[in-house]
């Protein structure tokens, strides 16, 4: 992956944070956070399930929330909540940082915080840029000071806290970057270089795809202070490299991912059906295309349900979890099919993508989290726009090659 150009000034970033509450996506998040029907969801995502009933309720809440967002929100907010909850349930893995991670989990739960993570390193022409690696540059009795870069921080502009930890395996010589910390995205010394939204010039502001665009960002730290209470791992390559195996954090993350994928496949089918019901399109065999999308939705939902049925109490981690192989199989199946599903949407639209027929933009409300979004705006952005393109690339990059994933 080529390194992204970093050209934003600190002043522009500060202005962005000051104004973020007025953006379409911030309003969408606020609606999700304050919706009284989602109180149980917020309670469940911070509680590692200790019984089968709790696990099924937990997974059901993930699935219902995913439906609310049409499966389009990958980091909002249950993905990282599951990870932090797994960390807290297995806090001994963090050694002297155990108490800090338990307290951090309590604070997250009490505040209904929305988290994201910045975990990948800046690369240049496919190689890690050592000059940009995040590292400790100073210490005092109260904490550490960090400088460097991290990326893959979707949702960074709107999150309460950033989690920073290594995504890749570290070498013995990289103890200086063996870190797991939490820091606010608008803390002193932290700059968020965020990609702009996808709003098209032809779209009305209240019908913009920005209401569902988590955005992605590069995080720059320049002598950013992290207090000891937010330092969970400092210098331990072994704890960083075994973070996943030592805490079981991927189990809640993957069940959340599969729940979201099932909701997304269902949304693709429902959206295609609504567009086809709205009038004649360019596709020659609409019933065939719709049948393929219906099968895509049904098979993804079946994979999700099969993963639920495989769940048992995992003695290693102290909570219920779906069987790893079933999760990976379901995620891999979806990853193989999503680009084909997007192609089917494009076939339905045909020339209407260039010149939509009158009336195409009048229907709203398919996705509860964005009821003002018209079917046609959502449809065109998923089938032919930059938003849909990046969504599909994200799905492919999220787990990598499906065959390698299935092989373990």
């Amino acid at each position: 992956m080529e390194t992204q150009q970093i050209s934003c000034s600190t002043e522009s970033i500060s202005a962005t944070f000051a104004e973020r509450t007025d953006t379409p996506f911030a309003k969408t998040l606020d609606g999700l956070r304050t919706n009284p029907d989602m109180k149980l969801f917020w309670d469940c995502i911070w509680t590692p399930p200790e019984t089968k009933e709790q696990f099924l309720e937990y997974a059901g809440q993930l699935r219902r929330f995913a439906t609310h967002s049409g499966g389009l929100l990958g980091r909002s907010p249950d993905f990282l909540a599951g990870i932090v909850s797994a960390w807290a349930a297995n806090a001994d893995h963090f050694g002297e940082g155990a108490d800090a991670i338990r307290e951090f989990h309590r604070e997250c739960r009490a505040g209904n915080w929305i988290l994201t993570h910045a975990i990948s390193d800046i690369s240049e022409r496919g190689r890690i840029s050592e000059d940009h690696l995040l590292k400790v540059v100073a210490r005092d009795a109260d904490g550490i000071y960090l400088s460097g870069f991290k990326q893959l921080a979707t949702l960074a502009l709107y999150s309460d806290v950033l989690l920073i930890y290594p995504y890749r395996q570290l070498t013995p010589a990289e103890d200086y970057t063996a870190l797991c910390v939490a820091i606010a995205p608008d803390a002193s010394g932290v700059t968020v270089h965020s990609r702009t939204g996808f709003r098209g010039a032809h779209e009305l502001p209240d019908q913009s795809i920005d209401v569902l665009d988590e955005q992605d960002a590069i995080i720059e730290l320049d002598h950013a202070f992290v207090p000891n209470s937010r330092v969970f791992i400092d210098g331990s390559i072994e704890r960083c490299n075994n973070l996943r195996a030592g805490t079981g954090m991927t189990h809640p993350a993957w069940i959340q991912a599969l729940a979201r994928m099932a909701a997304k496949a269902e949304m693709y089918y429902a959206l295609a059906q609504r567009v086809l019901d709205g009038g004649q399109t360019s596709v020659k065999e609409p019933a065939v295309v719709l049948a393929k999308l219906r099968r895509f939705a049904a098979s993804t939902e079946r994979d999700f349900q099969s993963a639920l049925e495989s769940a048992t109490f995992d003695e290693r981690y102290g909570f219920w979890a779906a069987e790893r192989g079933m999760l990976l199989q379901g995620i891999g199946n979806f990853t193989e099919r999503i680009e084909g599903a997007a192609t089917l949407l494009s076939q339905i639209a045909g020339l209407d993508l260039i010149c939509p027929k009158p009336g195409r933009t009048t229907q709203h409300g398919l996705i509860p989290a964005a009821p003002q979004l018209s079917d046609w705006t959502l449809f065109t952005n998923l089938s032919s726009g930059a938003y849909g393109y990046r969504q599909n690339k994200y799905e492919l990059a999220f787990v990598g090659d499906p065959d390698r994933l299935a092989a373990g």
Side-chain angles (χ1 to χ4, degrees), residues 102-171:
R102 292 190 188 100
E103 180 57 30
F104 178 66
H105 175 256
R106 284 191 287 268
E107 292 177 7
C108 290
R109 179 172 181 168
N112 276 347
W113 286 352
I114 292 177
L115 279 63
T116 190
H117 58 187
I119 56 177
S120 294
D121 299 308
I122 297 289
S123 61
E124 295 179 358
R125 299 180 181 179
R127 303 188 67 175
I128 299 291
S129 173
E130 295 185 4
D131 292 340
H132 291 105
L133 286 178
L134 186 70
K135 62 192 71 175
V136 178
V137 292
R139 300 177 184 275
D140 61 28
D142 298 319
I144 61 177
Y145 296 81
L146 302 178
S147 290
F149 294 81
K150 282 286 185 179
Q151 62 181 7
L152 271 189
T154 52
L155 193 65
L157 278 176
Y158 308 98
S159 62
D160 297 301
V161 180
L162 293 168
L163 288 179
I164 298 175
Y165 58 93
Y167 181 71
R168 61 184 176 85
Q169 293 287 290
L170 302 177
T171 67

Side-chain angles (χ1 to χ4, degrees), residues 265-275 290 293 297 366 375:
E266 179 183 56
M267 184 270 292
Y268 266 52
Y269 167 64
L271 180 61
Q273 189 171 42
R274 282 164 66 113
V275 170
L290 201 58
L293 287 169
L366 175 64
D375 284 354

Side-chain angles (χ1 to χ4, degrees), residues 339-390:
E339 287 193 306
T343 299
L344 291 173
L345 292 187
S346 299
Q347 290 176 6
I348 292 173
L351 294 177
D352 290 347
L353 290 174
I354 301 172
C355 185
K357 293 182 175 69
R360 284 284 191 226
T361 60
T362 56
Q363 197 169 18
H364 300 75
L366 175 64
I367 297 179
Q372 74 279 24
L373 198 63
S374 74
D375 284 354
W376 197 253
T377 295
L378 180 59
F379 188 81
T380 55
N381 276 276
L382 288 175
S383 62
S384 65
Y387 178 84
Y389 175 81
R390 290 181 72 98

